Amino acid sequence: IDVGGTDIKVGVVADGLSNLVCVERYPTPSFLPTKIGRKEISPADLLLRCKMAISIAERSFGSFTSVALSGQMGCWILTDYQNNPLTNIISWQDKRVEETIPQRNSILELADEIYTENGLRLSGNEVRSGLPIFGVYQHFQNNKVDGKVRFHSLISWLSSQLVTEYPFLVHETDFASSGMYNLKTKKILNNV
């Protein structure tokens, strides 16, 4: 399954082979009607769409022995420690952080506030309003958060929902797009 901004693609491969037998596309759920600049997707709707896509493919090809999940959208979601959503899925297109920019001169000023001296460089030097670190920062500044919270990428959260036993894991190639990953040490930045 490849989860994209436009479509969820399901490709079927016969056991032990590498050629695709079939590829089907299903529309990714639309953004929810929220404040201007916010781009959120319902976790329940996205999960239902992915499960439906798997179910349809299994009706045609039989039960799957394994499912591989991929995606390139830099989306994020906060959950409790049982991986239950505490937020909607926040898209990489989200601009909620710009709601706090009027109190600052620019997003670069916010980056200076969040990152330590070398943090921005160590995380890849990316500064854009949809970067998950900025959205998470804004969420914690503006919302009361009770208990322990997990940060998930879109793919890590979907993985947690599609399997029965899930060790909390966000792959470094997925987590690197969060703005919270030290590319040099290959660990979470010290200040986040």
Side-chain angles (χ1 to χ4, degrees):
I1 301 175
D2 178 70
V3 183
T6 305
D7 292 317
I8 298 165
K9 284 81 65 185
V10 177
V12 178
V13 178
D15 219 3
L17 300 176
S18 59
N19 292 336
L20 289 169
V21 175
C22 170
V23 176
E24 295 292 334
R25 293 175 177 266
Y26 304 90
T28 300
S30 300
F31 291 126
L32 296 168
T34 57
K35 288 183 178 179
I36 293 175
R38 293 192 177 203
K39 302 289 184 183
E40 302 179 12
I41 300 169
S42 163
D45 289 350
L46 183 67
L47 180 59
L48 182 65
R49 188 79 43 98
C50 289
K51 286 182 173 182
M52 176 202 69
I54 292 169
S55 179
I56 290 170
E58 285 185 320
R59 280 197 297 264
S60 297
F61 296 96
S63 293
F64 295 141
T65 56
S66 61
V67 174
L69 190 59
S70 69
Q72 293 182 339
M73 291 196 301
C75 300
W76 59 274
I77 183 171
L78 297 178
T79 71
D80 62 20
Y81 268 44
Q82 288 72 47
N83 305 310
N84 299 307
L86 299 173
T87 66
N88 287 319
I89 296 166
I90 312 301
S91 169
W92 61 274
Q93 300 169 16
D94 190 87
K95 298 194 181 304
R96 72 188 56 229
V97 73
E98 292 178 8
E99 296 167 12
T100 63
I101 296 299
Q103 300 150 6
R104 298 173 178 81
N105 292 325
S106 71
I107 198 162
L108 288 171
E109 194 173 304
L110 177 60
D112 286 342
E113 183 179 323
I114 293 174
Y115 289 108
T116 59
E117 185 178 326
N118 292 317
L120 181 60
R121 182 182 57 77
L122 292 170
S123 71
N125 282 323
E126 185 176 11
V127 177
R128 61 175 170 81
S129 56
L131 197 63
I133 191 171
F134 296 138
V136 170
Y137 174 85
Q138 201 244 10
H139 180 81
F140 279 97
Q141 293 295 310
N142 297 329
N143 298 285
K144 187 175 186 300
V145 179
D146 294 323
K148 294 183 177 184
V149 174
R150 280 187 173 160
F151 169 89
H152 277 280
S153 69
L154 172 66
I155 300 304
S156 72
W157 179 75
L158 276 173
S159 296
S160 79
Q161 302 304 296
L162 294 173
V163 299
T164 53
E165 292 184 33
Y166 175 76
F168 177 59
L169 174 71
V170 181
H171 193 272
E172 66 184 27
T173 58
D174 198 20
F175 190 58
S177 70
S178 70
M180 296 180 253
Y181 185 69
N182 185 322
L183 297 169
K184 187 174 182 178
T185 65
K186 299 188 182 226
K187 295 181 179 172
I188 192 168
L189 284 169
N190 290 332
N191 61 322
V192 288

